Amino acid sequence: MKNSRWLSVYAVAAYAFLHLPLVVLAVFSFNSSRFTQWEGFSLTWYKAAFADTQLAEATGNSLLIALAATLLATAVGTLGAYGLWKRNSPWITTSLYLSLVTPEIVMGISLLALYQWIFRYLAIRLGMHTVILAHVMFCTAYVVTVVSARLRAFDASLEEAAMDLGATEWQAFLRVTLPQLAPAVASAALLVFITSFDDYVITSLVAGVDSETLPMVIYAMARKGFNPSVNAISTLIVVALGGLILVSSRLERNEAER
Amino acid sequence: MNRLRFWCLTPAGALLGGLFLIPLGIIFAYSLLTRGPYGGVFSPLTWENYSRLADPLYAAILWRSLLYAVIVTAICLMLGFPLALFIARAGRRRNLYLSLVMVPFWSSFLVRTYAWMFLLRDTGLINSALLAAGVIREPLTLLYTPFAVILGLVYGYLPFMVLPVFATLERLDKSLIEASADLGATPGATLLHVIVPLSKPGILAGSILVFISSLGAYLTPDLLGGGKTIMIGNLVQNQFTTARDWPFGAALSLILMLVVMGLLVPLQRRGSEGLL
Amino acid sequence: MDDAVLELSRISKHYPGHRAVDNLSLRVPRGALFTLVGPSGCGKTTTLRLIAGFEEPTSGELLLNGSRMEHLRPYERNLSTVFQNYALFPHLTVRGNIEFGLLRRGDRQMAEPVRKVLDLLRIAGKESRYPHQLSGGERQRVALARSLVLAPEVLLLDEPLSALDPQLRKQVRAELRSIQRNVGITFLMVTHDQEEALSLSDHIAVMNGGRLEQTGAPQEIYLRPATRFVAGFLGAINWMEDIGVRPESTRVSTGPAPPEARSRRATVRSATFLGKCYHVEVSFDGGAIAVCEVPRDSHMVSPGQDVHLWWRAEDEMQFPAASQ
């Protein structure tokens, strides 16, 4: 079945709709003028963005949070997917599924309510740790989904063969199953990193004064009014995250072809 | 064997229990309590937080959220179905075309929303271009309008429609399409009577995902809508921050969760296809 | 073969590096059950798809009732296909599947033709079932009904029996034949099963490597194959230099062969009981091996025994060296 001409024309328009806003944003991040008229190529706004200490600090926070969330959520999610593959648990599956589609704002305020309730009894406050925990929570379901998809295609008799040859359950998991899952785990980790790095809604609700993230700074700048530095930093984010997502989808595709 | 499984599931179970289910339980409890004089929550138990939803001020916001979600879902279906069909028929280039949908989808929701602010504001690119071309004399008010919110939501959630629909179209048995043509159906009739009915599971999954996401949207109406196009998500956020009326915010959240869970039932029965 | 409903004239279908169909010419007589037979990959299914319009020929002409049709889309051709996997619409009931083509045509009077075809195929009473609620045999009937209700000029059948289990296959084979006689529509069937082809057809065309090897009535093709390929494809054969004899025409005897017969001396290698007959394998001095089917009641031979292998001159098949 080939594509008819009108469908191809439509697809071009649809892809333009999806990509042009970002392309325009990137192009104008190189504009020497601060207004939306092209006045020549310049790196002014990139220099301004890099000189901004608030942006630098927020980027550091975001990277730290995303790395911690990636490590934890990938570990918890991979183990969880493996456990569910051994035998399904309707409770955990349903909760994971629900957490995937719960509106971010609801998840954010419910976590905030939990934290505030705990703070009545413990002398801790909102900060990096609360953000990291929140991110691990909403990212774990992504990892379980991606790794479970790979496990569905995994031949259970490989583990049985390993145990038949004298491996313990843990050894069978670590030496036989996990290596088979490695591409899916890596792909899931990249997705978690992207999701965590980019989150604004939940983060802004559970962040403390010392844990302002990059999306929070960008949000504040965008609300305040037009600032071409936002174009520059946005372009960098899109390019970086877009690169990661390409790597991630390549990992998944190579796996599908195996 | 059971011990290994137990240790594998414990972290995930603890995480979901402690940071997802218990917080939802707290929200449920708060929704039945009374607001304190300086924020905070107190007994006695009351249904008042739920009955306040009938207040015309709030009912209008709930109604608007539902309306926008329906409109966005309909537009995403109209735009997404042909795109999914195009990708499914693209042969060896399928993966490339699919990536072209996925890459912007994953690369920063905030930046994608900001990009539309950049295009739509009074001094934004669209207005500058139209003014320069002499089409208009005064800048059009595009940003902070219902139009901007719906546009932003469609832009944000279109891939939620494309993916599940593509997944069902990809699995469609080609011989059914040949059989349809063989029995005298023109391409249009085949689309209407064979392809669309058979991609119903994908259409249903995509529509529910788009609807749920739009209904609970916060960032898009916040950045593109301004004060006049508040949706439930913004109202919830408002109750937990500036208004400091947690019980009412909790009741709103719970209503939102109930709608989401109600819509998930048909989706889960058919498996979570294309959810990611 | 004057009245051809369908005619293929020098049809070719080339893919990069592969000629699926090569310069094929065929005439399908009106009202016949015509079978295209050949090993897998011989181009028979591609030929069927070219006729149905799912593929475009690289060159050549297709004529339906004398008019060119290679430029027509599948839905513009008055032909109908029974697919190998039946391709029943899973979202439609039996009735919905059968009415599908009539609705596309805009027919208003559907009740009568639908009732007739339901009766003909003995599926009345199953109209409101969905395909997944039917047995394999019933699905096949629905697929046939869906096509027959349109009264096509030619019904194309792609390996129609291959999805059925062997028990059912023989029964359906006979039924297919009687349905074809009953409706009088030309059937063009594709199969890789030579027994199926021989037992069902009025005419057979044997294909190999995208080319036509021979066409003719079943007896003609079986008994007078034009090439070694056809002879070997349609049944087992004993080769004695350039002469071929079918196993069922080959006899063994412990005594001398009848004077009018052709014969050779041979040694029995094995005798296997097959139920209806014995399968005897003999070898010649040169090491070549022949097989023959010996009736159960005839004098039994045992391995190592010297025998005469004989056959009648009229059962010999001879091929010019070029036909190899």
Side-chain angles (χ1 to χ4, degrees), chain C residues 1 18 28 51 65 69 71 76 81 94 99 103 121 124 144 146 162 180 183 187 217 252 256 260 276 281 286 323:
Chain C
M1 261 215 230
H18 171 59
V28 179
I51 296 169
N65 290 325
M69 65 161 185
H71 60 280
E76 295 165 329
T81 307
V94 168
E99 286 177 348
L103 283 168
L121 288 152
L144 270 167
R146 181 174 78 169
S162 69
Q180 194 270 333
V183 295
F187 278 25
V252 284
E260 74 280 7
K276 60 184 176 189
E281 217 174 84
S323 81

Side-chain angles (χ1 to χ4, degrees), chain A residues 191-208:
Chain A
L191 290 185
V192 170
F193 185 89
I194 293 166
T195 312
S196 166
F197 189 86
D198 182 47
D199 183 73
Y200 168 75
V201 179
I202 295 172
T203 311
S204 65
L205 286 164
V206 297

